[in-house]
Amino acid sequence: MPLIGKIGIGAAALLLVLLIPAGVRLITRNRRVRSLGWKVSQPSDELTARMAAGRNQVTVAAAWAELDDVLFDYGMARESSETPRALARRLSQQYEFDAGSAAAITAIASAVERVLFARDPGRIEPMSKDLRKVRQALAATVSRGRRVRAVLLPPSTLRRLRLLGERLLDGFDLLETIRLRRTAAQKGG
């Protein structure tokens, strides 16, 4: 095989590896938006975990998890102590959302609060259109480079990979601690 062919195959393989996070994020987003009824397997925060615990509230949990990922991808931090209503108000004011986008994020925040705090949250309307409006409004506030990075190397996917790596390393630390204790017990006993 000529050298140019080997270089081409290597470049194609490298490109495919670099696009893995984008593919994972695209699959996650499509799964959430398509049905907005998936089960949150590994919630990224306590708020999403509390919502996912309810049987009928997975729609709201999916919308909230997607909003959280979009914010993280665009570099817009969400404070863990910030209530959904406060987040909606802050984003609407800070990024000067139009009336439709402000209403969409307020509807999502309201649904989250109803699911979390109301005895009977009532009927919750589908939120895919609201989520799309909010995502478009947030995308309009960031630079083109940030939008490209959010699509090709989404930090939300990389955050999950980092958390998985941390759990794996914690497991190895546990095994090492068990081995050291067993060794110390054998020497002492």
Side-chain angles (χ1 to χ4, degrees):
M1 177 178 283
L3 180 62
I4 193 73
K6 291 178 183 179
I7 292 173
I9 290 173
L14 179 65
L15 182 65
L16 285 175
V17 168
L18 289 175
L19 289 177
I20 288 174
V24 170
R25 178 70 175 108
L26 184 65
I27 289 168
T28 303
R29 178 182 298 139
N30 284 339
R31 184 177 54 187
R32 286 176 183 161
V33 172
R34 183 177 55 243
S35 66
L36 280 178
W38 65 287
K39 291 186 179 179
V40 180
S41 58
Q42 292 293 330
S44 60
D45 61 354
E46 183 181 332
L47 188 64
T48 307
R50 284 175 48 200
M51 281 188 293
R55 287 185 309 230
N56 298 327
Q57 284 71 30
V58 291
T59 300
V60 176
W64 185 254
E66 180 63 23
L67 179 63
D68 187 44
D69 281 355
V70 167
L71 289 172
F72 199 77
D73 289 345
Y74 290 140
M76 302 171 182
R78 180 178 67 84
E79 300 295 326
S80 59
S81 63
E82 197 170 32
T83 66
R85 188 180 309 172
L87 175 69
R89 184 174 35 251
R90 179 178 63 84
L91 291 175
S92 295
Q93 292 172 354
Q94 184 176 355
Y95 299 109
E96 300 175 354
F97 285 177
D98 63 354
S101 300
I105 196 164
T106 302
I108 293 171
S110 173
V112 169
E113 288 183 342
R114 285 188 356 234
V115 165
L116 288 174
F117 305 118
R119 192 167 285 179
D120 178 22
R123 178 166 163 71
I124 296 174
E125 297 296 322
M127 290 183 277
S128 58
K129 290 181 183 176
D130 291 335
L131 194 57
R132 186 178 311 117
K133 279 184 188 177
V134 171
R135 192 179 326 121
Q136 289 170 348
L138 291 171
T141 64
V142 296
S143 67
R144 180 179 298 162
R146 177 76 72 165
R147 286 191 304 266
V148 169
R149 190 185 101 199
V151 170
L152 295 180
L153 287 172
S156 60
T157 302
L158 301 177
R159 171 177 59 176
R160 285 189 192 83
L161 292 175
R162 186 176 66 239
L163 290 175
L164 179 67
E166 287 175 3
R167 280 192 224 120
L168 186 64
L169 290 176
D170 288 344
F172 286 135
D173 286 344
L174 179 65
L175 290 175
E176 181 68 19
T177 302
I178 292 170
R179 186 184 67 79
L180 290 175
R181 285 183 187 168
R182 199 174 282 165
T183 305
Q186 289 173 352
K187 287 183 181 178

